[in-house]
Amino acid sequence: MATQKITIEPVTRIEGHAKVTIHMKEDGDVERAYLHINEFRGFEKFCEGRMYFEMPSITPRICGICPVSHHLASAKACDQIVGAEPPRPANLLRELMHMGQVIQSHGMHFFELAGPDLLLGFDSDPATRNVVGLIQANPALALKAVNLRKFGQEIIHTLGGRRVHPNFAVPGGVNKALQPAERDGILAGMQEAMETTRAGIAIMKDWAAKNREDIDKFAVFPTGYFGLVTPKGNLELYQGECRLIDRNGNLLEQFPATRYLDYIAEHVENWSYLKFPYYKKMGFPGGVYRVGALGRLNACGQIDTPITPRICGICPVSHHLASAKACDQIVGAEPPRPANLLRELMHMGQVIQSHGMHFFELAGPDLLLGFDSDPATRNVVGLIQANPALALKAVNLRKFGQEIIHTLGGRRVHPNFAVPGGVNKALQPAERDGILAGMQEAMETTRAGIAIMKDWAAKNREDIDKFAVFPTGYFGLVTPKGNLELYQGECRLIDRNGNLLEQFPATRYLDYIAEHVENWSYLKFPYYKKMGFPGGVYRVGALGRLNACGQIDTPIANEELKTFRALNPGKPVENTLHYHYARLIEVLFAIERAEMLLNDPDILSNDIVNTKRDFHGEAVGVIEAPRGTLFHHYWVKENGQIEKVNLIVSTGHNNWAMSNAVDSVAKTYINGQTVREGLLNRVEAAVRAYDPCLSCSTHALGQMPLIVEFVDPAGAVTQTLRRD
């Protein structure tokens, strides 16, 4: 029998008003706790007698937090009343407003409502366990959180004229078109919103790892789960069918929303104004279920937005295209020739911007300012100060590559372009001409970079010949004639002397490549199976490709390749620092190849997607990412759900070579005397020469802090150099 009642009123940091009563037993344990909803909702009754077309304006007044949801749900009901299905553009605009609502609402909840508990602690001082306390604890994060909510609200405001209670959807459509400048304004905020959301996910994962005990006992109980899904059973937030699964994940029902009363009933209790919906066939409380984000993610099969490019913000195009190529095989739909031309064009943009950025902005400070120059200025700022004209050309070269990606995919980072069986957008003549207009400047800047590299190499021959020079195999894609290929082709592997070891279709990569693991690194070590580890290690990327291929099928790049090959006649070029030279040769090729693609008549065709479907449960997509060969291997269930994924990422192939380069440089430049800062930079440069992407290769947030420890024969650390 309860002897004491504890009341929490109001419940804070929620939308609306509620209280909790906790009924205690005599022994001090809790007998039962109740959530009381204090607000009576009379909206249904006082809407009776109003005109139907008023409802999209009336119902949002239920709430100032989720008015967009009520506005759009009401408008969709009114569409049916007047028998007017909105035109596709109107549905796109409504859904865009809804995405703004989801962004601002979920963003606000995580950072501003849940955030004080997660970031400051459940037991922290209640006087500061709020938004003000968050601002004091982490003002930079608080500002990002505010801007994320603002971004979502601005989408709503742009479309509906207000951030709260917008006036936009009308029966049969919307009352305002989106202008180009408005669209571009929204797009401009996408990257920051994505970065803030990813930061939030990182915070949540870190908190979860540190609070596993709380997570595993905090209101953990089985229920059903409910949400909208697409025709394929995937996540849907704007329209679709209702899906209900049981506590074990089994499908109970999937039905049109118009039939909801056949499946859902509402139970009432005398201690709350809020009803308790449940699944009719299982009764109450056996048929209770959860909705919202947890319910939707449990109920859906998968999410239809591209996820593999989110592995990385540096090489998303490579993941996007490799994934699309695997998906082509899964659905059995070879893209039409124009679609393949457009995909390859986007890939050339990626190669240009990535290689260009690496040479001028990442390697450039070492080459142009010196390994031993002042670290305070051995960076892009120092380059700008030393040679502002060259720095501007370098920025424009990267911009040129990014503009190719943006023109095709709508974004410079994380484009939305390739789909199973093709692409989702044709190239327009004006867009083609705009890209062609930048070709000459891009070519001139690349040639200037090659001249700089050659001049540096001539003056620093001693460093080049002792800086991480060692034999390996070399690996890359080639054309049917054995020439350089970056988008599609067969895999070729040569040995340290340049002799052919294997040439095979990418789908058979597991017959030839295995991965070794070491307990001191999360990054695996791929190797050629027949030669074992480490005898079968090889290098990929620009140096690997130029060593493995026969020649290049574009004239300017091929002439430069002949000069490159003369560095070590008849054998592969082994010098790690010549990765920089090799990248610039590939930029020449990418520019020439992009021009060839743009002058192909099929590039402007509207035949851009193959709608044929012939399901296959396993597929391998491969592409030459700027950093090396990238494999995407998917195993898929018949319902389209991913069962298993294996990625061998470019940087992974080079893992042994990077590790060996670090060891080689340290042994070459350390002689037992006092170590200057330039050593740390040379060791870092040995890694940097491979242009590694640690985010991709370990599927984690990548950073480049560096610690070098000097250990004497007895195992004692004698000196430590650190860069955070």
Side-chain angles (χ1 to χ4, degrees):
M1 181 179 215
T3 60
Q4 183 183 4
K5 181 173 73 174
I6 300 172
T7 301
I8 303 172
E9 187 176 14
V11 177
T12 59
R13 283 187 268 128
I14 64 169
E15 296 93 11
H17 306 283
K19 72 176 180 180
V20 172
T21 59
I22 304 172
H23 298 259
M24 308 296 293
K25 298 178 183 178
E26 291 182 357
D27 60 5
D29 289 341
V30 174
E31 179 182 26
R32 178 72 191 271
Y34 294 89
L35 172 65
H36 304 266
I37 308 304
N38 304 324
E39 300 167 308
F40 175 74
R41 188 187 71 210
F43 240 82
E44 289 97 326
K45 295 306 287 184
F46 67 70
C47 285
E48 293 175 5
R50 308 295 304 198
M51 298 301 292
Y52 73 88
F53 53 77
E54 296 179 297
M55 295 301 287
S57 296
I58 293 175
T59 52
R61 268 61 185 183
I62 292 174
C63 178
I65 300 299
C66 31
V68 169
S69 304
H70 290 287
H71 179 60
L72 295 177
S74 179
K76 291 171 78 173
C78 291
D79 298 338
Q80 298 170 46
I81 288 170
V82 300
E85 174 64 25
R88 182 173 183 271
N91 271 327
L92 294 177
L93 290 168
R94 287 183 179 184
E95 187 175 0
L96 177 60
M97 175 177 275
H98 188 45
M99 295 304 104
Q101 168 76 353
V102 172
I103 293 166
Q104 72 88 14
S105 179
H106 281 357
M108 177 186 69
H109 184 273
F110 179 78
F111 287 105
E112 294 157 41
L113 302 184
D117 294 328
L118 302 181
L119 301 179
L120 304 178
F122 288 112
D123 296 306
S124 59
D125 183 355
T128 57
R129 194 175 61 232
N130 48 42
V131 173
V132 175
L134 277 182
I135 295 171
Q136 293 171 343
N138 194 332
L141 179 65
L143 180 60
K144 290 179 181 178
V146 169
N147 285 339
L148 178 62
R149 188 181 185 210
K150 180 182 177 183
F151 173 68
Q153 288 179 316
E154 281 303 311
I155 295 176
I156 300 167
H157 179 261
T158 298
L159 296 169
R162 302 173 184 158
R163 295 174 179 83
V164 181
H165 304 313
N167 176 17
F168 183 57
V170 295
V174 297
N175 59 17
K176 175 184 177 293
L178 184 68
Q179 300 304 309
E182 295 173 326
R183 177 200 60 190
D184 294 344
I186 296 171
L187 285 170
M190 290 288 176
Q191 185 170 346
E192 181 183 350
M194 180 63 76
E195 290 172 354
T196 300
T197 305
R198 294 175 88 177
I201 289 173
I203 289 168
M204 183 62 211
K205 286 181 174 178
D206 179 67
W207 184 88
K210 295 174 180 176
N211 294 271
R212 173 59 55 195
E213 183 180 352
D214 267 333
I215 285 180
D216 289 343
K217 69 180 182 181
F218 192 103
V220 180
F221 49 84
T223 62
Y225 296 95
F226 187 100
L228 294 185
V229 293
T230 68
K232 293 182 178 180
N234 298 337
L235 180 69
E236 177 58 67
L237 299 182
Y238 177 67
Q239 58 192 1
E241 290 198 327
C242 301
R243 173 182 278 187
L244 175 63
I245 65 169
D246 67 16
R247 59 186 62 191
N248 297 312
N250 302 311
L251 180 65
L252 291 173
E253 304 286 354
Q254 189 165 322
F255 56 89
T258 52
R259 294 185 55 201
Y260 78 101
L261 287 176
D262 293 340
Y263 300 93
I264 298 173
E266 293 180 286
H267 175 78
V268 295
E269 292 282 355
N270 61 8
W271 44 267
S272 178
Y273 282 117
L274 186 58
K275 299 175 187 175
F276 297 80
Y278 63 93
Y279 175 43
K280 280 185 174 182
K281 292 182 181 179
M282 295 176 69
F284 182 86
V288 297
Y289 54 85
R290 283 185 268 187
V291 297
L294 188 71
R296 290 188 289 259
L297 296 193
N298 278 327
C300 75
Q302 62 184 46
I303 299 177
D304 287 330
T305 53
I307 56 174
T308 52
R310 269 62 184 182
I311 292 173
C312 179
I314 301 298
C315 28
V317 170
S318 304
H319 288 286
H320 179 59
L321 296 177
S323 180
K325 291 172 80 174
C327 290
D328 297 338
Q329 298 168 43
I330 288 167
V331 300
E334 173 64 26
R337 183 173 185 271
N340 272 327
L341 296 178
L342 290 167
R343 287 184 180 184
E344 187 178 359
L345 177 61
M346 174 177 276
H347 189 45
M348 295 305 103
Q350 169 76 351
V351 172
I352 293 166
Q353 72 89 13
S354 179
H355 280 355
M357 176 186 71
H358 185 272
F359 180 78
F360 287 104
E361 295 159 42
L362 302 183
D366 294 328
L367 303 181
L368 301 179
L369 304 177
F371 288 113
D372 295 304
S373 59
D374 183 356
T377 57
R378 194 177 59 232
N379 48 43
V380 173
V381 175
L383 279 181
I384 295 171
Q385 294 170 342
N387 194 332
L390 179 65
L392 180 60
K393 289 179 180 179
V395 169
N396 286 338
L397 178 62
R398 187 181 186 212
K399 181 181 178 183
F400 173 67
Q402 288 179 316
E403 281 303 311
I404 294 176
I405 300 167
H406 179 261
T407 298
L408 296 170
R411 303 173 185 161
R412 295 171 180 82
V413 181
H414 304 311
N416 177 16
F417 183 57
V419 295
V423 298
N424 59 18
K425 175 185 178 293
L427 185 68
Q428 301 303 311
E431 294 173 327
R432 176 200 60 190
D433 296 344
I435 298 171
L436 285 169
M439 290 285 175
Q440 185 173 345
E441 181 183 350
M443 181 63 76
E444 290 172 354
T445 300
T446 306
R447 284 177 147 171
I450 289 174
I452 290 168
M453 182 64 210
K454 286 180 174 178
D455 179 67
W456 185 88
K459 295 174 180 176
N460 294 271
R461 173 60 55 196
E462 182 182 353
D463 265 331
I464 286 179
D465 288 342
K466 69 180 182 180
F467 191 103
V469 181
F470 48 83
T472 61
Y474 297 94
F475 189 101
L477 296 184
V478 293
T479 68
K481 294 182 179 180
N483 298 337
L484 180 68
E485 177 59 67
L486 299 182
Y487 178 67
Q488 58 191 2
E490 290 198 328
C491 301
R492 173 181 280 187
L493 175 63
I494 65 170
D495 68 15
R496 60 187 61 192
N497 296 311
N499 301 312
L500 180 65
L501 290 172
E502 302 287 355
Q503 189 164 322
F504 56 89
T507 52
R508 293 185 56 202
Y509 77 103
L510 287 177
D511 293 339
Y512 300 93
I513 299 172
E515 295 179 282
H516 175 78
V517 294
E518 293 282 356
N519 61 10
W520 43 268
S521 178
Y522 283 114
L523 187 56
K524 298 176 185 176
F525 297 81
Y527 62 93
Y528 175 43
K529 280 185 174 181
K530 291 181 182 179
M531 295 176 67
F533 182 85
V537 297
Y538 54 84
R539 284 186 268 186
V540 298
L543 190 73
R545 290 187 288 254
L546 295 195
N547 279 326
C549 74
Q551 61 182 43
I552 298 178
D553 289 329
T554 59
I556 298 174
N558 196 52
E559 283 302 308
E560 200 62 51
L561 177 64
K562 294 175 183 176
T563 304
F564 175 84
R565 292 265 171 86
L567 294 170
N568 195 21
K571 290 189 176 182
V573 175
E574 298 177 338
N575 314 68
T576 292
L577 288 174
H578 278 315
Y579 259 104
H580 304 312
Y581 184 16
R583 285 190 189 93
L584 291 173
I585 295 173
E586 287 194 336
V587 176
L588 291 178
F589 167 73
I591 294 170
E592 290 183 285
R593 180 62 183 158
E595 188 170 17
M596 292 171 62
L597 293 167
L598 289 164
N599 285 319
D600 190 307
D602 278 350
I603 200 74
L604 298 177
S605 171
N606 289 314
D607 181 19
I608 57 174
V609 65
N610 180 356
T611 57
K612 170 190 171 185
R613 294 295 181 262
D614 180 18
F615 177 79
H616 298 78
E618 184 178 353
V620 177
V622 66
I623 199 168
E624 282 294 344
R627 289 150 189 84
T629 317
L630 170 63
F631 290 94
H632 276 230
H633 190 172
Y634 303 158
W635 290 263
V636 182
K637 298 178 182 178
E638 287 190 10
N639 67 356
Q641 189 174 14
I642 293 286
E643 189 171 15
K644 180 182 175 183
V645 174
N646 185 50
L647 306 182
I648 298 185
V649 179
S650 311
T651 296
H653 293 285
N654 279 334
N655 191 13
W656 183 90
M658 291 190 297
S659 300
N660 196 57
V662 167
D663 182 62
S664 173
V665 168
K667 289 176 178 176
T668 299
Y669 288 90
I670 298 174
N671 56 17
Q673 299 175 0
T674 302
V675 180
R676 61 185 188 278
E677 189 277 339
L679 165 68
L680 184 63
N681 188 43
R682 280 175 172 80
V683 173
E684 188 175 352
V687 180
R688 192 159 49 232
Y690 291 86
D691 193 17
C693 185
L694 304 179
S695 303
C696 287
S697 54
T698 58
H699 321 311
L701 296 175
Q703 297 178 337
M704 190 61 176
L706 193 64
I707 300 174
V708 177
E709 292 183 341
F710 300 91
V711 183
D712 65 20
V717 176
T718 60
Q719 187 177 353
T720 300
L721 296 176
R722 176 190 299 270
R723 173 171 294 145
D724 295 321

